[in-house]
Amino acid sequence: NLLRPPPQLDSDGQLPMIPFTQHSVQLVASCSKVAESLVVALLVDRGLLGYEDRIAEHWPEFAEHHKAHITVRQLMMHQAGLAAPERVITPEYLLDPPRLQSLLASQHTNWPVPDLSVGNKHWRHVTSPQAYHMATRGLYAGALVQRVDPQKRSLGTIFREEIALPLGLDFYIGNVPDQVMRDASPLHMADPVALAYVLGVPREDGKKPCENDQRV
């Protein structure tokens, strides 16, 4: 069995198994970047935001540490140089948006980010380094979106109200209803040793992965 039971067990001490169907809700991880991009595109379409806008135009604090020239386009294309946070973003930060946004604004870039803003006459001829902003793009986009939305809604709320509900989608970015959480498929974490066996990762002692290991 490659799956470890999560810490939450039922009253009988058993792993709760919820049938997975076409209606099951599950974690989609970075697929949420598509939804995030749709919200940004929606605001651009309404003239509230522009891809060539400097982020600092809408979020002045973002300009700290030589980030004043970074554009919305560079952020959305993973070229903003903010892929790796300088400090660990703990759950306490995620539950305190003002504190989180202050932390994000104070970040140094991971590399020198070229000026691709339209004000730079050479911007079309400059290439920008790129690195996947796995966990950070959504945080920065969320802070930006909330500042330009007339109602100051969160990115998740805009997506829910403007896109998901009109289309009848059970897709949430934060603020997941309790009933949906109860019906969601539990997240099972793979046992690292068993996973190594599947991937064929060799052991330091030269033996085959998981040799004589009863967990597989």
Side-chain angles (χ1 to χ4, degrees), residues 139-154:
L139 299 179
Y140 281 100
L144 175 63
V145 160
Q146 194 163 27
R147 281 168 167 76
V148 301
D149 178 57
Q151 301 175 50
K152 305 305 178 187
R153 293 172 295 175
S154 69

Side-chain angles (χ1 to χ4, degrees), residues 56-212:
E57 293 175 27
H58 307 284
W59 182 5
E61 296 83 0
F62 179 84
E64 189 175 348
H65 299 310
H66 312 291
K67 299 196 299 293
H69 63 284
I70 296 176
T71 65
V72 175
R73 183 182 298 277
Q74 284 175 298
L75 173 65
M76 300 308 291
M77 292 181 67
H78 304 269
Q79 296 176 347
L82 298 167
E86 293 174 304
R87 283 184 282 176
V88 176
I89 300 177
T90 62
E92 288 73 23
Y93 279 106
L94 297 177
L95 295 173
D96 187 348
R99 186 182 176 204
L100 171 63
Q101 292 172 17
S102 177
L103 173 67
L104 295 173
S106 66
Q107 167 85 14
H108 291 78
T109 58
N110 305 139
W111 61 80
V113 178
D115 184 356
L116 299 186
S117 57
V118 178
N120 174 13
K121 63 180 181 180
H122 303 295
W123 72 278
R124 291 186 181 276
H125 308 288
V126 178
T127 57
S128 182
Q130 189 174 43
Y132 186 42
H133 289 44
M134 180 180 69
T136 56
R137 196 187 80 161
L139 299 179
Y140 281 100
L144 175 63
V145 160
Q146 194 163 27
R147 281 168 167 76
V148 301
D149 178 57
Q151 301 175 50
K152 305 305 178 187
R153 293 172 295 175
S154 69
L155 188 149
T157 299
I158 297 175
F159 179 79
R160 186 72 188 148
E161 294 179 354
E162 305 276 0
I163 300 172
L165 285 176
L167 295 177
L169 303 177
D170 284 328
F171 195 116
Y172 305 87
I173 304 176
N175 302 317
V176 183
D178 291 341
Q179 182 58 46
V180 173
M181 289 299 296
R182 285 193 290 269
D183 295 339
S185 299
L187 181 63
H188 300 267
M189 301 302 294
D191 186 301
V193 175
L195 186 60
Y197 174 79
V198 173
L199 297 177
V201 179
R203 286 169 28 171
E204 292 183 0
D205 59 10
K207 294 183 180 180
K208 296 179 180 179
C210 304
E211 186 173 325
N212 301 322

